[in-house]
Structures are given as C-alpha cells and as structure tokens.
Amino acid sequence: MKAHLLFRMLRKIFVCLTLLTLLPNVSEAQYNNPRGRIPKQLLGLSVGARAGATVYFGDLVDAGRARWTVGAFVEKSVISWLDVRGQIDAGQVHGAQEEGLEFKSFFADVNIFARVRFLDLIQGYDDARLFCPYFGLGAGGMLFNCKKNPDESKIDVEAYMSKATAGGWEDLAEKWLYYDGGMKGAADAVGLVGVRYSLSSKLWLSFEVQGNMVFSDELDAHSGYPDNNGTWVESDGKYDCLWTTSFGVQYRFYDVSKYTSSSKYSRKNYLKTRRIYERNAKRMRRR
C-alpha cells in the first residue's frame, strides 16, 4: 500500500516538473509565432512623423527659397520587402520671380506610396537590419493657396507701374503684382529615396529625399506674364516641382515581425549570441 502511494506521489511530481519545463517553451513559441496573440490587422503596422525643408522649382522663377514641411504617415507591410504607406504633408513654398517679385503658397499634400526595401528584396528579409535603404513611388493630390504678395520695400512698385502705364498694360501689371489665386487643387506624382536606422525592434529613425511633380502651373501664383508690349504670355510649363529633404521617426506597434528572417540572418544572430555567451562564461570561470 505504501509503495502504491509513493508511486502516485512520484508520478504527480514528475507531471508537475514536466509542465514547469514546458512553460518557457510555450511562451517562446507564442513569441516567435505572434499571430495567435496579436490582432492580424496590427501586424506589420507602424506610424511615423517627419519634418524638413522644401524647395520650389518652376518656370519664370529665378530662385527657389527653402521653407518648412511637416508630415505624418501610416505604413503597413504587404510582403517581406514591400510596404504601403499613406502620407499627408503640409508646408510652404516661396520663390522669387522675374521683375524681383516674390510669391508664397501654403499646401497640403496627400499621397499613397508603394515602398520597396531593396536589400530585403535582394538579400532576403532581416528584421534586425541596422540600416535599411529604400525607394518608393506614389501618387495623390495637393491643395494649395497661391499668393503673390510682394514686400514693397524689396521692389519699386511705382517704377514698375509707370513702366506698365507707358506700355499700356497697367491692368495686367496689377494682376501680376497682387495676384491671389485662392485655394486650388491638382494631382501630383511622387518619388522618394531614403534610409532607415534601427534604434530598437520597434523604433526607427529615417532620412528621406522626396520629389513632387504637381500637375498645375499655378503653384507659384501665375501661369503667364505680361511682356513689354502689354501682351499676356502663357508660360510653357505644364507642371511645378517640389523637392523635400526630411528627417523622421517611425514606431512599430509590436516588436515582432509578421515575417520570418532569412535563415542566413538567423544563423548569424545565433553565432553572435553564442560568442557573447562564451565570452561571459570564460569571465565567470576566471573569477
């Protein structure tokens, strides 16, 4: 009887020890395969913000002036090397036109991007990659408020109007000087290149250069100009361009990826971890 009770006690102890041994493995399995504990919609989802400077290039403009731009975006991984990004930017563009006049435009730009991480495409996916270069293409629309509002201390308005009066095109000169186009809209196409630096498995810094081709000729507050004979001349340009250089920060909601790193990167991470363990073990033995 005593032997039977002892056997039952040993069996219970064995079952308990087995369960305790399996618990860490179960936790690790859930971590490496997060689909069971993370909503599917949030896997691979990240948000970001950026800020930088925008310079305008267009026809009839002598010099572009750098002004500020800020933006925010939401990004979702589609496959191991391709992301889809929805982005909104807001900022200013300034420039100096012929005759010494200046213009300013405020804009809001909404775009959808396809963004390719080309090292992940060429070499295989690595979720722990320190530097991740990428490029993207997108399209969307822009709202802008274009104004021509010169500072009279920078231009001799009276001399300009006297010249226009003598030429018989003072009405056109008035429009040229103080044009206020109001709110307008146009489609645009966008391209960007950038590099992302990993601070942790959830937080990244980025540097990007972006070019916008706006399919409008009025972002710089004019689509033509009066010549010396008083004739209104339409400009040849069909679009205006913006270049933006920005720094940003990006946050991923979960520190695990929906994709498994390529086996060669898993092997490298394993060897690196083993070397660290071996060095620490040697130090402990020396003590």
Side-chain angles (χ1 to χ4, degrees), residues 20 26 61 68 74 76 89 107 136 143 161 169 178 180 184 196 198 213 229 233 236 265:
L20 290 174
V26 171
V61 174
W68 58 269
V74 177
K76 174 77 171 180
D89 294 317
F107 70 87
L143 289 176
M161 291 304 297
W169 45 276
Y178 301 110
D180 186 347
K184 295 181 179 295
R196 189 180 71 189
S198 176
M213 180 182 292
N229 298 320
V233 180
D236 295 331
Y265 296 115

Side-chain angles (χ1 to χ4, degrees), residues 22-92:
L22 291 176
L23 278 177
N25 295 330
V26 171
S27 300
E28 184 177 357
Q30 290 177 347
Y31 179 84
N32 292 330
N33 185 15
R35 293 174 179 81
R37 66 181 181 90
I38 297 176
K40 185 178 179 181
Q41 294 79 4
L42 295 181
L43 279 173
L45 186 67
S46 60
V47 296
R50 65 195 201 117
T54 295
V55 179
Y56 169 83
F57 291 94
D59 58 325
L60 306 180
V61 174
D62 300 321
R65 308 290 173 86
R67 288 297 184 269
W68 58 269
T69 295
V70 296
F73 59 87
V74 177
E75 196 166 82
K76 174 77 171 180
S77 295
V78 179
I79 53 180
S80 61
W81 50 268
L82 180 67
D83 304 318
V84 173
R85 175 192 289 191
Q87 179 173 295
I88 181 169
D89 294 317
Q92 297 180 4

Side-chain angles (χ1 to χ4, degrees), residues 77-114:
S77 295
V78 179
I79 53 180
S80 61
W81 50 268
L82 180 67
D83 304 318
V84 173
R85 175 192 289 191
Q87 179 173 295
I88 181 169
D89 294 317
Q92 297 180 4
V93 288
H94 285 204
Q97 297 172 331
E98 293 181 357
E99 303 291 346
L101 304 179
E102 295 186 357
F103 76 92
K104 63 179 179 179
S105 294
F106 296 87
F107 70 87
D109 187 29
V110 179
N111 287 284
I112 301 295
F113 286 87

Side-chain angles (χ1 to χ4, degrees), residues 12-221:
K12 290 180 179 179
I13 293 173
F14 175 77
V15 171
C16 291
L17 290 175
T18 303
L19 290 175
L20 290 174
T21 304
L22 291 176
L23 278 177
N25 295 330
V26 171
S27 300
E28 184 177 357
Q30 290 177 347
Y31 179 84
N32 292 330
N33 185 15
R35 293 174 179 81
R37 66 181 181 90
I38 297 176
K40 185 178 179 181
Q41 294 79 4
L42 295 181
L43 279 173
L45 186 67
S46 60
V47 296
R50 65 195 201 117
T54 295
V55 179
Y56 169 83
F57 291 94
D59 58 325
L60 306 180
V61 174
D62 300 321
R65 308 290 173 86
R67 288 297 184 269
W68 58 269
T69 295
V70 296
F73 59 87
V74 177
E75 196 166 82
K76 174 77 171 180
S77 295
V78 179
I79 53 180
S80 61
W81 50 268
L82 180 67
D83 304 318
V84 173
R85 175 192 289 191
Q87 179 173 295
I88 181 169
D89 294 317
Q92 297 180 4
V93 288
H94 285 204
Q97 297 172 331
E98 293 181 357
E99 303 291 346
L101 304 179
E102 295 186 357
F103 76 92
K104 63 179 179 179
S105 294
F106 296 87
F107 70 87
D109 187 29
V110 179
N111 287 284
I112 301 295
F113 286 87
R115 194 174 70 96
V116 177
R117 288 172 272 112
F118 56 85
L119 285 185
D120 286 338
L121 172 62
I122 297 171
Q123 300 179 350
Y125 179 71
D126 180 13
D127 190 55
R129 196 185 298 278
L130 191 61
F131 287 95
C132 182
Y134 54 85
F135 66 89
L137 296 174
M142 178 181 289
L143 289 176
F144 55 92
N145 183 14
C146 50
K147 292 184 178 182
K148 190 177 285 131
N149 188 20
D151 185 344
E152 295 192 6
S153 65
K154 296 181 180 180
I155 181 173
D156 192 341
V157 177
E158 292 183 0
Y160 184 78
M161 291 304 297
S162 297
K163 177 182 176 182
T165 302
W169 45 276
E170 60 271 18
D171 293 340
L172 291 175
E174 188 74 21
K175 177 182 178 181
W176 177 248
L177 280 171
Y178 301 110
Y179 173 80
D180 186 347
M183 188 66 69
K184 295 181 179 295
D188 67 339
V190 190
L192 69 84
V193 293
V195 61
R196 189 180 71 189
Y197 175 75
S198 176
L199 293 176
S200 69
S201 58
K202 299 176 67 174
L203 189 64
W204 305 306
L205 298 179
S206 63
F207 172 75
E208 295 181 345
V209 177
Q210 176 178 308
N212 289 60
M213 180 182 292
V214 186
F215 297 101
S216 171
D217 197 27
E218 296 185 343
L219 189 61
D220 52 2

